[in-house]
Amino acid sequence: MEQRMVKFYSKESNLLALHAIPGHFATSNSHINFYIDVTGIRARITEAEEAAKILAHKFGHLNYVDTVVCMDGTEVVGAFLAKEFEKEHIITTNQHKTVYVISPEQSRDNQIIFRDNTKHMIAGKHVILLLATTTTGETIRRSMEGLQYYGGVIEGIGTIFSTVATVNHVKVQSLFDGNDVIGYQAFPKADCPFCKKGAKIEAVVNGFGYSKL
């Protein structure tokens, strides 16, 4: 499957590229015709730092940032993003005058969970939500609901790849979008043209990666 991989470079930096594998894949919310692999951007220090710089620029001026909540293994990018916010002298209300970078647990029904030792990093805090990829926006919506349940104030949403422009009236800032991957499409499970033709699903995918079937 990896032999079919196509590389797409960022319009904003030649240091950043995502890899797309054409085929028939299933996410938790839809079926897609490309698996988007952002492993390099998440895991390589140089790329993660570059991604953080571009995302910070896209967010523009923010009055407050206290916490970066990282989904889908985006902690490396999240740490660099927090440093970018500090470089820009964005105010934090945290006692130690530095930004928290944390990842929630997730329940079986994909709800986010913060334990007692991390709740204070969300309650009353100004939060940036960071994800690897988003296709339908459902994961973002659930995450926003969870953050608001724990008392977080959502200041912005960032992703490496997104086909969603806004979720609940909050703009999604992304490094790549559907226009960057030529031919990218997502379908509701019930309306997937591959399934209607009897084509088997090749892999189950999410922000962390893929598992072949």
Coordinates of all heavy atoms in Angstrom, one line a residue, residues 68-132:
V68 N -2.2 24.1 25.7 CA -2.4 23.5 24.4 C -2.8 22.0 24.6 O -2.0 21.3 25.3 CB -1.1 23.6 23.6 CG1 -1.3 22.9 22.2 CG2 -0.7 25.0 23.3
V69 N -3.9 21.7 24.2 CA -4.4 20.3 24.3 C -4.2 19.5 23.0 O -4.7 19.9 22.0 CB -5.9 20.3 24.7 CG1 -6.5 18.8 24.7 CG2 -6.2 20.9 26.0
C70 N -3.3 18.5 23.1 CA -2.9 17.8 22.0 C -3.6 16.5 21.8 O -3.6 15.6 22.7 CB -1.4 17.5 22.1 SG -0.4 19.0 22.3
M71 N -4.2 16.3 20.6 CA -4.8 15.0 20.2 C -4.0 14.3 19.2 O -3.1 14.9 18.5 CB -6.2 15.3 19.6 CG -7.1 16.3 20.5 SD -7.7 15.5 22.0 CE -8.9 14.3 21.3
D72 N -4.2 13.0 19.0 CA -3.6 12.3 17.9 C -2.1 12.3 17.9 O -1.5 12.3 16.8 CB -4.1 12.8 16.5 CG -5.6 13.0 16.4 OD1 -6.3 12.2 17.1 OD2 -6.0 13.9 15.7
G73 N -1.5 12.4 19.0 CA 0.0 12.3 19.0 C 0.7 13.6 18.6 O 1.8 13.5 18.0
T74 N 0.1 14.7 18.8 CA 0.6 16.0 18.3 C 1.4 16.7 19.3 O 1.7 17.9 19.2 CB -0.5 16.9 17.7 OG1 -1.4 17.1 18.8 CG2 -1.1 16.3 16.5
E75 N 1.9 16.0 20.4 CA 2.5 16.7 21.5 C 3.8 17.4 21.1 O 4.1 18.5 21.7 CB 2.9 15.7 22.6 CG 1.7 15.1 23.3 CD 1.0 13.9 22.6 OE1 1.5 13.6 21.5 OE2 0.1 13.3 23.2
V76 N 4.6 16.9 20.1 CA 5.8 17.6 19.8 C 5.5 18.9 19.1 O 6.1 20.0 19.4 CB 6.7 16.7 18.8 CG1 8.0 17.4 18.4 CG2 7.0 15.4 19.5
V77 N 4.6 18.9 18.2 CA 4.1 20.2 17.6 C 3.5 21.1 18.6 O 3.8 22.3 18.6 CB 3.1 19.9 16.5 CG1 2.6 21.2 15.9 CG2 3.7 19.0 15.4
G78 N 2.8 20.5 19.5 CA 2.1 21.3 20.6 C 3.1 22.0 21.5 O 2.9 23.2 21.9
A79 N 4.2 21.3 21.8 CA 5.3 21.9 22.7 C 5.9 23.1 21.9 O 6.1 24.2 22.5 CB 6.3 20.9 23.0
F80 N 6.2 22.9 20.7 CA 6.8 24.0 19.9 C 5.8 25.2 19.7 O 6.2 26.4 19.7 CB 7.3 23.6 18.5 CG 8.6 22.9 18.6 CD1 8.7 21.5 18.2 CD2 9.8 23.5 19.0 CE1 9.9 20.9 18.2 CE2 11.0 22.9 19.0 CZ 11.1 21.5 18.6
L81 N 4.5 24.8 19.6 CA 3.5 25.9 19.4 C 3.4 26.7 20.7 O 3.3 27.9 20.7 CB 2.2 25.2 19.1 CG 1.0 26.1 18.9 CD1 1.3 27.1 17.7 CD2 -0.3 25.3 18.6
A82 N 3.5 26.0 21.9 CA 3.5 26.7 23.1 C 4.7 27.7 23.2 O 4.5 28.8 23.7 CB 3.5 25.7 24.3
K83 N 5.8 27.3 22.8 CA 7.0 28.1 22.8 C 6.8 29.4 21.9 O 7.2 30.5 22.2 CB 8.2 27.4 22.4 CG 8.7 26.3 23.4 CD 9.1 26.9 24.7 CE 10.3 27.8 24.6 NZ 10.8 28.3 25.9
E84 N 6.2 29.1 20.7 CA 5.9 30.3 19.8 C 5.0 31.3 20.5 O 5.2 32.5 20.4 CB 5.3 29.7 18.5 CG 6.2 29.0 17.6 CD 7.4 29.8 17.2 OE1 7.2 31.0 16.8 OE2 8.5 29.3 17.2
F85 N 4.0 30.8 21.2 CA 3.1 31.7 21.9 C 3.8 32.5 23.0 O 3.6 33.7 23.2 CB 1.9 30.9 22.6 CG 0.9 30.3 21.6 CD1 0.3 29.1 21.9 CD2 0.6 31.0 20.5 CE1 -0.6 28.6 21.0 CE2 -0.3 30.4 19.6 CZ -0.9 29.2 19.9
E86 N 4.8 31.8 23.7 CA 5.5 32.6 24.7 C 6.5 33.6 24.0 O 6.7 34.7 24.6 CB 6.3 31.5 25.5 CG 5.4 30.7 26.4 CD 6.2 29.8 27.3 OE1 7.4 29.7 27.2 OE2 5.6 29.2 28.2
K87 N 7.1 33.2 22.9 CA 7.9 34.2 22.1 C 7.2 35.4 21.8 O 7.7 36.5 21.7 CB 8.5 33.5 20.9 CG 9.6 32.5 21.1 CD 10.0 31.9 19.8 CE 11.0 30.8 19.9 NZ 11.4 30.2 18.6
E88 N 5.9 35.3 21.4 CA 5.1 36.4 21.0 C 4.5 37.1 22.2 O 3.7 38.1 22.0 CB 3.9 35.9 20.1 CG 4.4 35.3 18.8 CD 3.3 34.7 17.9 OE1 2.1 35.0 18.2 OE2 3.6 34.0 16.9
H89 N 4.9 36.7 23.4 CA 4.4 37.4 24.6 C 2.9 37.4 24.8 O 2.4 38.4 25.3 CB 5.0 38.8 24.7 CG 6.5 38.9 24.5 ND1 7.4 38.4 25.5 CD2 7.3 39.3 23.5 CE1 8.6 38.6 25.1 NE2 8.6 39.2 23.9
I90 N 2.3 36.3 24.3 CA 0.9 36.2 24.6 C 0.7 35.9 26.1 O 1.4 35.0 26.7 CB 0.3 35.0 23.7 CG1 0.4 35.5 22.2 CG2 -1.2 34.7 24.1 CD1 0.0 34.4 21.3
I91 N -0.3 36.5 26.7 CA -0.4 36.4 28.1 C -0.9 35.1 28.5 O -1.8 34.5 27.9 CB -1.4 37.5 28.6 CG1 -0.8 38.9 28.3 CG2 -1.6 37.4 30.1 CD1 -1.8 40.0 28.5
T92 N -0.4 34.5 29.6 CA -0.9 33.3 30.2 C -1.3 33.7 31.7 O -0.7 34.4 32.4 CB 0.1 32.2 30.3 OG1 -0.4 31.1 31.0 CG2 1.4 32.6 30.9
T93 N -2.4 33.1 32.1 CA -2.9 33.3 33.5 C -2.3 32.3 34.4 O -2.6 32.3 35.6 CB -4.5 33.3 33.5 OG1 -4.9 32.0 33.2 CG2 -5.1 34.3 32.6
N94 N -1.5 31.4 33.9 CA -1.0 30.3 34.8 C 0.0 30.9 35.8 O 0.7 31.8 35.6 CB -0.2 29.3 34.0 CG -1.2 28.5 33.0 OD1 -2.3 28.4 33.3 ND2 -0.6 28.1 31.9
Q95 N 0.0 30.3 37.0 CA 0.8 30.8 38.1 C 2.2 30.8 37.8 O 3.0 31.8 38.2 CB 0.5 29.9 39.4 CG 1.3 30.4 40.6 CD 1.0 29.5 41.8 OE1 0.2 28.6 41.7 NE2 1.7 29.8 42.9
H96 N 2.7 29.8 37.0 CA 4.1 29.7 36.7 C 4.5 30.5 35.4 O 5.7 30.5 35.0 CB 4.5 28.3 36.6 CG 4.3 27.5 37.8 ND1 5.1 27.6 38.9 CD2 3.4 26.5 38.1 CE1 4.7 26.8 39.9 NE2 3.6 26.1 39.4
K97 N 3.5 31.2 34.9 CA 3.8 32.1 33.7 C 4.3 31.3 32.5 O 5.2 31.8 31.7 CB 4.7 33.2 34.0 CG 4.2 34.1 35.2 CD 2.8 34.6 34.9 CE 2.2 35.4 36.0 NZ 0.8 35.9 35.8
T98 N 3.9 30.1 32.3 CA 4.3 29.3 31.2 C 3.1 28.5 30.7 O 2.1 28.2 31.5 CB 5.5 28.4 31.5 OG1 6.0 27.7 30.3 CG2 5.1 27.3 32.5
V99 N 3.1 28.0 29.5 CA 1.9 27.3 28.9 C 2.0 25.8 29.2 O 3.0 25.2 29.1 CB 1.9 27.6 27.4 CG1 0.7 26.8 26.7 CG2 1.8 29.1 27.1
Y100 N 0.8 25.3 29.6 CA 0.7 23.8 29.7 C 0.6 23.2 28.4 O -0.1 23.7 27.5 CB -0.5 23.5 30.6 CG -0.5 23.9 32.0 CD1 -1.4 24.8 32.5 CD2 0.4 23.4 32.9 CE1 -1.4 25.2 33.8 CE2 0.5 23.7 34.2 CZ -0.5 24.6 34.7 OH -0.5 25.0 36.0
V101 N 1.1 22.0 28.2 CA 0.9 21.1 27.0 C 0.5 19.8 27.5 O 1.3 19.0 28.1 CB 2.2 21.0 26.1 CG1 1.9 20.2 24.9 CG2 2.7 22.4 25.7
I102 N -0.7 19.4 27.3 CA -1.2 18.1 27.8 C -2.1 17.4 26.7 O -2.5 17.9 25.7 CB -2.1 18.3 29.0 CG1 -3.3 19.2 28.7 CG2 -1.3 18.9 30.2 CD1 -4.3 19.4 29.9
S103 N -2.2 16.1 27.0 CA -3.1 15.2 26.2 C -4.1 14.5 27.0 O -3.8 14.0 28.1 CB -2.3 14.1 25.4 OG -1.3 14.8 24.6
P104 N -5.4 14.5 26.6 CA -6.4 13.9 27.4 C -6.4 12.4 27.2 O -5.9 11.9 26.2 CB -7.7 14.5 26.9 CG -7.4 14.8 25.5 CD -5.9 15.2 25.4
E105 N -7.0 11.7 28.1 CA -7.4 10.3 27.8 C -8.7 10.3 27.0 O -9.4 11.3 26.9 CB -7.7 9.5 29.1 CG -6.5 9.3 30.0 CD -6.8 8.6 31.2 OE1 -7.4 7.5 31.1 OE2 -6.6 9.1 32.3
Q106 N -9.0 9.2 26.4 CA -10.3 9.1 25.6 C -11.0 7.8 26.1 O -10.4 6.7 26.2 CB -10.0 9.0 24.1 CG -9.6 10.4 23.6 CD -9.5 10.4 22.1 OE1 -8.5 10.0 21.5 NE2 -10.6 10.8 21.4
S107 N -12.3 8.0 26.3 CA -13.2 6.8 26.7 C -13.5 6.0 25.5 O -13.2 6.3 24.3 CB -14.5 7.3 27.3 OG -15.2 8.1 26.4
R108 N -14.2 4.9 25.7 CA -14.5 4.0 24.6 C -15.5 4.7 23.6 O -15.5 4.3 22.4 CB -15.2 2.7 25.1 CG -14.2 1.8 25.9 CD -14.9 0.5 26.3 NE -14.0 -0.3 27.0 CZ -14.3 -1.5 27.5 NH1 -15.6 -2.0 27.4 NH2 -13.4 -2.3 28.1
D109 N -16.2 5.6 24.0 CA -17.1 6.4 23.1 C -16.5 7.7 22.6 O -17.2 8.6 22.2 CB -18.5 6.6 23.8 CG -18.4 7.4 25.1 OD1 -17.2 7.6 25.5 OD2 -19.4 7.8 25.6
N110 N -15.1 7.7 22.7 CA -14.3 8.8 22.2 C -14.6 10.2 22.9 O -14.3 11.2 22.3 CB -14.6 9.0 20.7 CG -14.0 7.8 19.9 OD1 -12.9 7.3 20.2 ND2 -14.8 7.3 18.9
Q111 N -15.0 10.1 24.1 CA -15.1 11.3 24.9 C -13.8 11.6 25.6 O -13.1 10.6 26.1 CB -16.2 11.2 25.9 CG -17.6 11.1 25.3 CD -18.0 12.2 24.5 OE1 -17.8 13.4 24.8 NE2 -18.6 11.9 23.3
I112 N -13.3 12.8 25.7 CA -12.1 13.1 26.4 C -12.2 13.2 27.9 O -13.3 13.6 28.4 CB -11.4 14.4 25.8 CG1 -12.3 15.6 26.1 CG2 -11.2 14.3 24.3 CD1 -11.6 16.9 25.7
I113 N -11.2 12.7 28.6 CA -11.2 12.7 30.0 C -9.9 13.3 30.6 O -8.8 13.1 30.1 CB -11.2 11.2 30.5 CG1 -12.5 10.5 30.0 CG2 -11.2 11.1 32.0 CD1 -12.4 9.0 30.2
F114 N -10.1 14.2 31.6 CA -9.0 14.7 32.3 C -9.1 14.3 33.8 O -10.1 14.4 34.4 CB -9.0 16.3 32.2 CG -8.7 16.8 30.8 CD1 -9.8 17.2 30.0 CD2 -7.4 16.9 30.3 CE1 -9.6 17.7 28.7 CE2 -7.2 17.4 29.1 CZ -8.3 17.8 28.3
R115 N -8.0 13.8 34.3 CA -8.0 13.3 35.7 C -7.8 14.5 36.6 O -7.6 15.6 36.2 CB -6.8 12.3 35.9 CG -6.9 11.1 35.0 CD -8.0 10.1 35.3 NE -8.1 9.0 34.4 CZ -8.9 8.0 34.6 NH1 -9.8 8.0 35.6 NH2 -8.9 7.0 33.7
D116 N -8.0 14.2 37.9 CA -7.9 15.2 38.9 C -6.6 16.0 38.9 O -6.6 17.2 39.2 CB -8.2 14.6 40.3 CG -9.6 14.1 40.5 OD1 -10.4 14.4 39.6 OD2 -9.8 13.4 41.5
N117 N -5.5 15.4 38.5 CA -4.2 16.1 38.6 C -4.0 17.0 37.3 O -3.0 17.7 37.3 CB -3.1 15.0 38.6 CG -3.1 14.0 37.5 OD1 -4.1 13.3 37.4 ND2 -2.1 13.9 36.8
T118 N -4.9 16.9 36.3 CA -4.8 17.8 35.2 C -6.0 18.7 34.9 O -5.9 19.6 34.1 CB -4.5 16.9 33.9 OG1 -5.6 16.0 33.7 CG2 -3.2 16.2 34.0
K119 N -7.0 18.5 35.7 CA -8.2 19.3 35.5 C -8.0 20.8 35.7 O -8.5 21.6 35.0 CB -9.3 18.9 36.6 CG -10.0 17.6 36.2 CD -11.1 17.3 37.3 CE -11.8 16.0 37.0 NZ -12.8 15.7 38.1
H120 N -7.0 21.1 36.6 CA -6.7 22.5 36.8 C -6.1 23.2 35.6 O -6.0 24.4 35.5 CB -5.9 22.7 38.1 CG -4.4 22.2 37.9 ND1 -4.1 20.9 37.9 CD2 -3.3 22.9 37.6 CE1 -2.8 20.7 37.7 NE2 -2.3 21.9 37.5
M121 N -5.5 22.4 34.7 CA -4.9 22.9 33.5 C -6.0 23.2 32.4 O -5.6 23.8 31.4 CB -3.9 21.9 32.9 CG -2.8 21.5 33.8 SD -1.7 20.3 33.1 CE -0.6 19.9 34.5
I122 N -7.2 22.9 32.7 CA -8.3 23.2 31.8 C -9.3 24.1 32.4 O -9.8 25.1 31.7 CB -9.0 21.9 31.3 CG1 -8.1 20.9 30.7 CG2 -10.2 22.2 30.4 CD1 -7.5 21.4 29.4
A123 N -9.7 23.9 33.6 CA -10.8 24.7 34.2 C -10.4 26.2 34.3 O -9.4 26.6 34.9 CB -11.0 24.2 35.6
G124 N -11.2 27.0 33.6 CA -11.0 28.5 33.6 C -9.8 28.9 32.8 O -9.4 30.1 32.8
K125 N -9.2 28.0 32.0 CA -8.0 28.3 31.2 C -8.4 28.6 29.7 O -9.4 28.1 29.2 CB -7.0 27.1 31.2 CG -6.6 26.7 32.6 CD -5.8 27.9 33.3 CE -5.3 27.4 34.7 NZ -4.5 28.5 35.4
H126 N -7.5 29.3 29.1 CA -7.7 29.6 27.7 C -6.9 28.6 26.9 O -5.7 28.4 27.0 CB -7.1 31.0 27.4 CG -7.8 32.1 28.2 ND1 -8.9 32.8 27.7 CD2 -7.5 32.6 29.4 CE1 -9.3 33.7 28.6 NE2 -8.4 33.6 29.7
V127 N -7.7 27.8 26.1 CA -7.2 26.6 25.5 C -7.1 26.6 24.0 O -8.0 27.1 23.3 CB -8.1 25.4 25.9 CG1 -7.6 24.1 25.3 CG2 -8.1 25.2 27.4
I128 N -6.0 26.1 23.4 CA -5.8 25.8 22.0 C -5.9 24.3 21.8 O -5.3 23.5 22.5 CB -4.5 26.3 21.5 CG1 -4.3 27.8 21.5 CG2 -4.2 25.8 20.0 CD1 -5.2 28.6 20.6
L129 N -6.8 23.9 20.9 CA -7.0 22.5 20.6 C -6.2 22.1 19.4 O -6.4 22.8 18.3 CB -8.5 22.2 20.4 CG -8.9 20.7 20.0 CD1 -8.5 19.7 21.1 CD2 -10.4 20.6 19.7
L130 N -5.4 21.1 19.5 CA -4.5 20.7 18.4 C -4.7 19.3 18.0 O -4.7 18.4 18.8 CB -3.0 20.9 18.8 CG -1.9 20.6 17.7 CD1 -2.1 21.6 16.5 CD2 -0.6 20.8 18.4
L131 N -4.9 19.1 16.7 CA -5.2 17.7 16.1 C -4.3 17.4 14.9 O -3.7 18.3 14.3 CB -6.6 17.6 15.7 CG -7.7 17.8 16.7 CD1 -8.2 19.3 16.6 CD2 -8.9 16.9 16.6
A132 N -4.2 16.1 14.6 CA -3.4 15.8 13.4 C -4.2 16.0 12.1 O -3.8 16.7 11.2 CB -2.9 14.3 13.5

